[in-house]
């Protein structure tokens, strides 16, 4: 605001009085809390804390990520876990679940899949629906996801590229849900799969919710009522941001 109106020069004391307090920056873990063993190594490595973020340069760089980027090896960062969350990989080795995300929303699901791998869990049906802009440019984790799939820890991978012309009408993750309606209904209604959604609340979160309502309303069902029931049973879980 001050850059837009350079003639406005309030005293520092007035600025400090009106600047809001910085709030903690929440991140979703993209790693498993379990220790890892490097290939060929006999000693377990301590758990690592990882997260996925989007690089923002305009209109200004991100505050927290810019600060993290300036840290040197050995610097300390104070972190704390948020209140108990149900947004974590299913405890049962035979559980089926659907993960829906766009952009950096893939973060927690990388942690889900890494945790399945470290636990040696290949049971159930794990389906990841991921959305990004351009193939080969924004799908930075495509190789890792393909490896999870080839190793059996990820059952199905569906990717929507919103900016690619050759997308067969599937631009966003909600379009995949709609095009895979029969599979979605079977997983939720028959296999009792949990659904996890991570991404933007205003656009992606609402569109995905509406897509599930539409799919679950087919064949005479009441999709809205089913979704309310899933939320109440904590089978539809969201990690969304504004």
């Amino acid at each position: 605001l001050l850059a837009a109106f350079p003639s406005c020069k309030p005293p520092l004391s007035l600025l400090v009085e009106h600047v809001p307090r910085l709030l903690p920056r929440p991140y979703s873990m993209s790693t498993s809390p379990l220790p890892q063993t490097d290939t060929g190594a006999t000693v377990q490595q301590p758990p690592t804390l990882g997260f996925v973020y989007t690089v923002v340069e305009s209109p200004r760089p991100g505050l927290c990520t810019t600060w993290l980027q300036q840290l040197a090896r050995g610097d300390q960062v104070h972190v704390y876990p948020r209140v108990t969350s149900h947004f974590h990989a299913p405890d049962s080795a035979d559980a089926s679940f659907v993960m829906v995300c766009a952009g950096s929303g893939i973060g927690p699901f990388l942690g889900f899949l890494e945790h399945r791998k470290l636990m040696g869990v290949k049971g159930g049906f794990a389906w990841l629906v991921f959305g990004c802009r351009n193939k080969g440019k924004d799908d930075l984790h495509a190789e890792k996801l393909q490896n999870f799939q080839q190793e059996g820890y990820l059952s199905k991978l569906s990717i929507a590229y919103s900016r690619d012309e050759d997308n067969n009408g599937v631009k966003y993750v909600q379009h995949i849900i709609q095009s895979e309606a029969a599979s979605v209904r079977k997983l939720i209604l028959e296999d009792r799969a949990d659904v996890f959604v991570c991404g933007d609340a205003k656009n992606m979160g609402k569109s995905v919710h509406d897509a599930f309502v539409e799919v679950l309303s087919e064949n005479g069902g009441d999709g809205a009522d089913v979704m309310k029931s899933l939320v109440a049973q904590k089978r539809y879980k969201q990690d969304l941001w504004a």
Side-chain angles (χ1 to χ4, degrees):
L1 184 62
L2 295 178
F5 300 95
S7 62
C8 182
K9 300 179 181 180
L12 180 59
S13 58
L14 186 61
L15 280 177
V16 172
E17 182 181 345
H18 288 82
V19 170
R21 179 174 63 90
L22 285 179
L23 298 176
R25 173 64 166 90
Y27 287 100
S28 299
M29 287 181 59
S30 62
T31 48
S32 169
L34 297 178
Q36 304 183 37
T37 302
D38 293 335
T39 304
T42 57
V43 179
Q44 286 187 329
Q45 302 298 318
T48 58
L49 176 62
F51 58 88
V52 177
Y53 63 91
T54 301
V55 176
V56 178
E57 297 179 346
S58 177
R60 59 186 179 279
L63 184 62
C64 189
T65 48
T66 300
W67 177 75
L68 290 172
Q69 188 179 31
Q70 297 171 350
L71 295 176
R73 182 179 293 274
D75 288 346
Q76 294 187 352
V77 178
H78 295 281
V79 299
Y80 65 90
R82 301 178 73 177
V83 294
T84 302
S85 171
H86 295 281
F87 203 92
H88 56 76
D91 296 324
S92 173
D94 298 321
S96 294
F97 58 103
V98 182
M99 302 165 282
V100 185
C101 60
S104 58
I106 195 174
F109 302 136
L110 292 175
F112 282 25
L113 296 171
E114 180 182 285
H115 194 68
R116 278 172 64 88
K117 181 175 181 178
L118 292 175
M119 293 286 290
V121 173
K122 298 184 180 182
F125 191 88
W127 181 11
L128 175 64
V129 180
F130 172 51
C132 61
R133 293 184 176 182
N134 302 104
K135 185 175 183 178
K137 182 179 179 181
D138 300 302
D139 51 355
L140 302 179
H141 305 280
E143 183 176 351
K144 178 181 286 189
L145 294 174
Q146 290 167 2
N147 289 337
F148 280 134
Q149 188 173 21
Q150 291 171 1
E151 294 168 353
Y153 303 107
L154 176 62
S155 309
K156 183 174 181 177
L157 173 62
S158 303
I159 304 180
Y161 299 101
S162 62
R163 300 298 174 85
D164 286 0
E165 294 182 0
D166 185 20
N167 53 28
N168 296 319
V170 177
K171 293 185 62 177
Y172 303 110
V173 289
Q174 59 265 31
H175 297 151
I176 293 178
I177 295 169
Q178 292 166 334
S179 65
E180 298 268 9
S183 297
V184 170
R185 284 196 300 274
K186 179 182 182 301
L187 279 168
I188 294 177
L189 301 178
E190 299 180 21
D191 300 339
R192 296 191 57 79
D194 286 354
V195 179
F196 298 86
V197 181
C198 186
D200 167 55
K202 182 178 179 181
N203 299 310
M204 179 265 191
K206 182 180 185 306
S207 298
V208 167
H209 182 278
D210 292 345
F212 275 111
V213 171
E214 177 185 330
V215 166
L216 294 171
S217 294
E218 296 180 12
N219 299 332
D222 187 341
D225 189 59
V226 173
M227 287 296 289
K228 289 180 182 179
S229 177
L230 292 177
V231 172
Q233 298 171 24
K234 294 183 172 57
R235 289 179 52 204
Y236 188 85
K237 312 169 191 183
Q238 301 178 94
D239 183 7
L240 306 176
W241 58 84

